[in-house]
Amino acid sequence: MPEEIRAVRRPKNTVVVPSGSGYRVRQRSGCRYVEGRRVPIEGGYIGSIVNGVFVPDDPVKWTGSTGRVDIKYYGRVRFCDTLNGDVLRMLNRHYNLDESKMIYCMAMIRACYPGTRDYQMEDRYLESYISEMFPGVSLGKNQVCTELRNLGKEYSRIRAFMKARVCSLEKNDILVIDGCLKQKHGRIDTLSQVSRKTKHRKHRDILMMYAYSLDLFEPVCSKIYPGNMVDSRAVGDFIKTSGITGGLIVADKGFPPSVVMGVVADSPDLHYLVPHRRDAQPVIDHDMYSFDGTFMDEGPVEFKKVRCEGFWLYSFRDLEIAKDQEEQYLRDHPEGGFDGELSELRREFGTVVFQCDLDIPPSKVYSIYQGRWMIELMFKFYQTDLDFDDTRVQSDYSEIGSDFVDFLSVLMGSRMLNAFHDTEGMNDWTFKASMDFLDRLKMVRIDDSEEWEMNRIPLKDAELMAEIGILNRPVVPVEVKKRGRPKGSKDTKPRKTRSDKGVPKIPEN
């Protein structure tokens, strides 16, 4: 090391070391003992010796990341908002604008990101483009829990919202009413009760009553009851408090005709279609299993229609269902296949008998009841795809508020599911696969500004997203090429034959 380099003034506890064609100054960070001797510990470089002068290095700037999200998921929330803008407007009629946005955002997050817990809602809000669509919404755990509890306390607003939904329907709309149990493990409320269906499973439930529109293919209104209440007990209160005064009520065998008739008696515009038990007395008195007509709208079906005092009876026998039921009976009873019991049951295989206060074609009655299966699919969608199989709250007020948000999420999810089924290329996808596909569309912040741009996706994906309505259809010029080589592109100069390749040329004499 040259003496003039070592003599340059520099900070204490440093040493000069050669580095390439120059000299670097390294700091000593301490000492350690090695075999009884103090050996210095070398640290990092702090500067250089340039033209006989110590030049310190520029300090490393630590940016200190603030966690600001510059890439936000766009596809799911934009698609959901496109289909459900009327929900926010309806909420704004019963709540102020800020609270309406908060309820709307909570419902949208639960619909777009199934399984999201309350403590995860703020992260979903910040990581998706919903935070740019509705900025300034507080969705921390404490704020969400407080809002759900306050929603339940002001139940009259929820009831008014459900009534407004019902009033928006036409008088001749077809409504399917049914109940579904939902697990509720809270011990400090009154809604969590042991139901007759789950008393052996050692957990408690609540009863959810829903009205589903077969014209709109979406839920219309809902209400929750204690889990130990049967559907027939809750249906009267549900229709009354929801303000259902018109349309056709379609129920299942859990609702006795006498109960439904008493519910609709005070509403002249409200009608009913209820199935009877196969051994009910009106079925036997009118010999409803002696069919006198057929139709092929839903397959080969036999029917009978009888006018009674104040109502009509409709009976049907689907031959395909009867075949499957008889085949299953023979599989379950391989030894006694042709005894007297089979002869009695054969008349009832594939049959169903309805009571209705309207005189309508039998084929339409059967088609309406076939559509009743849609509410069962909605309950399955509710519990599995949206992951609402349990409540995850404790008090009555929180449960009422959380169930209201869940209803909005099911409404949003049903509309998205219907749109997927109507889109060619996505109609056979699962709901999860369709939502995962929408995650490919993101928004990226432009440099350090507040402007955003969309990420680049393949043309095929862009066309599919344009078909469901969240992108403008991409205009990409497609060059149509003719088959074959373009005219004049082939070299016309004479070439050697293939046999001449590799053969040395013989010089001419």
Side-chain angles (χ1 to χ4, degrees):
M1 184 67 61
E3 185 65 26
E4 61 273 14
I5 298 299
R6 296 177 57 188
V8 173
R9 296 185 61 180
R10 62 181 187 275
K12 294 182 178 180
N13 296 324
T14 59
V15 62
V16 181
V17 297
S19 175
S21 59
Y23 301 93
R24 297 279 288 159
V25 178
R26 170 176 283 179
Q27 190 176 24
R28 288 177 174 175
S29 59
C31 296
R32 57 181 176 146
Y33 285 92
V34 177
E35 296 179 357
R37 296 185 301 107
R38 289 171 58 88
V39 178
I41 300 176
E42 296 182 349
Y45 295 104
I46 63 172
S48 304
I49 303 296
V50 181
N51 297 327
V53 179
F54 170 73
V55 179
D57 292 341
D58 293 335
V60 179
K61 296 182 180 180
W62 180 65
T63 59
S65 177
T66 60
R68 186 187 69 175
V69 183
D70 292 335
I71 301 177
K72 297 192 176 185
Y73 293 97
Y74 178 78
R76 295 193 187 200
V77 295
R78 174 55 69 188
F79 181 57
C80 183
D81 182 63
T82 302
L83 298 175
N84 298 283
D86 63 314
V87 177
L88 179 59
R89 292 190 294 270
M90 186 173 291
L91 282 171
N92 202 22
R93 299 174 190 170
H94 307 278
Y95 302 91
N96 61 47
L97 182 58
D98 293 336
E99 190 172 11
S100 298
K101 289 181 179 180
M102 185 176 184
I103 299 171
Y104 185 73
C105 290
M106 288 192 297
M108 188 185 298
I109 291 174
R110 288 187 179 184
C112 293
Y113 300 97
T116 300
R117 304 302 190 254
D118 292 344
Y119 68 90
Q120 300 171 322
M121 200 160 287
E122 186 175 24
D123 290 338
R124 290 295 191 185
Y125 172 76
L126 295 175
E127 293 170 1
S128 64
Y129 200 71
I130 190 174
S131 55
E132 301 297 324
M133 297 160 53
F134 304 97
V137 179
S138 298
L139 291 179
K141 179 182 177 181
N142 295 335
Q143 289 86 348
V144 170
C145 294
T146 302
E147 177 63 23
L148 293 179
R149 187 175 180 85
N150 290 339
L151 284 175
K153 289 180 178 179
E154 290 190 278
Y155 172 68
S156 59
R157 294 175 183 257
I158 298 178
R159 185 169 173 176
F161 179 89
M162 297 297 180
K163 284 187 174 181
R165 286 270 304 160
V166 174
C167 291
S168 64
L169 300 175
E170 301 291 338
K171 289 187 177 181
N172 57 350
D173 280 355
I174 302 173
L175 293 179
V176 180
I177 294 180
D178 202 357
C180 179
L181 293 175
K182 181 178 180 181
Q183 291 188 27
K184 177 98 169 80
H185 302 285
R187 298 181 179 179
I188 57 175
D189 53 53
T190 61
L191 294 172
S192 177
Q193 300 293 331
V194 177
S195 67
R196 62 181 179 84
K197 293 183 179 180
T198 59
K199 61 182 180 180
H200 300 296
R201 302 179 189 175
K202 305 300 180 183
H203 68 74
R204 302 187 178 196
D205 304 283
I206 64 171
L207 173 65
M208 304 182 304
M209 293 296 297
Y210 264 73
Y212 186 89
S213 173
L214 291 184
D215 299 278
L216 301 176
F217 295 105
E218 64 182 36
V220 178
C221 57
S222 71
K223 187 178 180 181
I224 58 175
Y225 297 89
N228 56 352
M229 183 178 293
V230 295
D231 297 353
S232 59
R233 173 71 175 173
V235 64
D237 177 76
F238 175 66
I239 292 177
K240 180 180 178 181
T241 57
S242 300
I244 302 176
T245 59
L248 177 63
I249 300 297
V250 183
D252 65 357
K253 295 182 179 180
F255 301 90
S258 58
V259 174
V260 181
M261 290 175 64
V263 171
V264 304
D266 298 332
S267 301
D269 295 329
L270 188 60
H271 307 280
Y272 67 90
L273 176 65
V274 185
H276 268 293
R277 291 181 291 106
R278 288 178 175 174
D279 58 348
Q281 194 62 39
V283 177
I284 299 175
D285 293 342
H286 295 86
D287 194 17
M288 296 306 296
Y289 295 135
S290 298
F291 305 102
D292 53 13
T294 59
F295 61 84
M296 298 291 294
D297 295 350
E298 301 288 340
V301 178
E302 297 176 318
F303 73 89
K304 183 177 182 179
K305 178 181 177 180
V306 176
R307 176 72 169 90
C308 303
E309 185 176 353
F311 59 88
W312 281 263
L313 289 178
Y314 301 85
S315 63
F316 302 92
R317 182 172 186 264
D318 192 313
L319 300 182
E320 294 181 355
I321 297 178
K323 171 181 174 297
D324 294 338
Q325 290 182 355
E326 184 172 347
E327 181 180 350
Q328 186 62 41
Y329 178 85
L330 293 176
R331 291 180 184 274
D332 296 338
H333 303 80
E335 298 179 357
F338 291 94
D339 55 6
E341 182 181 2
L342 177 60
S343 300
E344 288 293 329
L345 292 176
R346 184 171 286 167
R347 296 181 67 247
E348 301 179 359
F349 284 150
T351 61
V352 61
V353 182
F354 301 103
Q355 179 175 324
C356 182
D357 61 342
L358 291 177
D359 182 11
I360 51 180
S363 59
K364 185 176 181 180
V365 173
Y366 194 71
S367 177
I368 290 174
Y369 192 75
Q370 290 290 93
R372 186 203 159 275
W373 184 248
M374 294 300 299
I375 195 172
E376 302 293 346
L377 297 179
M378 186 207 69
F379 284 139
K380 182 180 179 181
F381 175 73
Y382 181 101
Q383 294 180 329
T384 58
D385 292 333
L386 297 183
D387 195 18
F388 292 154
D389 56 339
D390 58 349
T391 60
R392 302 190 289 268
V393 294
Q394 296 297 325
S395 69
D396 286 343
Y397 295 129
S398 298
E399 174 51 40
I400 295 172
S402 181
D403 183 77
F404 176 54
V405 177
D406 288 348
F407 168 80
L408 298 177
S409 299
V410 177
L411 174 61
M412 295 176 179
S414 298
R415 291 179 176 180
M416 290 190 290
L417 189 62
N418 294 335
F420 290 144
H421 288 168
D422 294 338
T423 303
E424 186 178 358
M426 301 179 70
N427 49 12
D428 57 345
W429 294 7
T430 63
F431 181 76
K432 182 180 183 303
S434 301
M435 298 299 282
D436 290 343
F437 170 76
L438 297 182
D439 270 344
R440 301 180 186 182
L441 200 60
K442 305 178 182 66
M443 296 296 282
V444 183
R445 192 187 302 272
I446 301 176
D447 298 330
D448 200 25
S449 66
E450 295 300 323
E451 298 182 2
W452 298 82
E453 64 181 2
M454 195 173 297
N455 67 317
R456 191 73 169 174
I457 58 176
L459 177 61
K460 183 178 179 180
D461 294 348
E463 290 177 343
L464 193 53
M465 290 185 181
E467 188 174 351
I468 63 176
I470 58 176
L471 278 182
N472 294 327
R473 184 168 297 277
V475 180
V476 179
V478 179
E479 182 181 357
V480 180
K481 297 183 179 180
K482 296 182 179 180
R483 297 184 63 180
R485 191 188 302 272
K487 185 177 180 180
S489 62
K490 186 175 181 180
D491 191 0
T492 57
K493 294 182 179 180
R495 297 180 177 274
K496 296 179 180 179
T497 60
R498 186 177 299 274
S499 61
D500 292 339
K501 292 185 178 181
V503 179
K505 186 175 182 181
I506 300 176
E508 297 180 357
N509 293 331

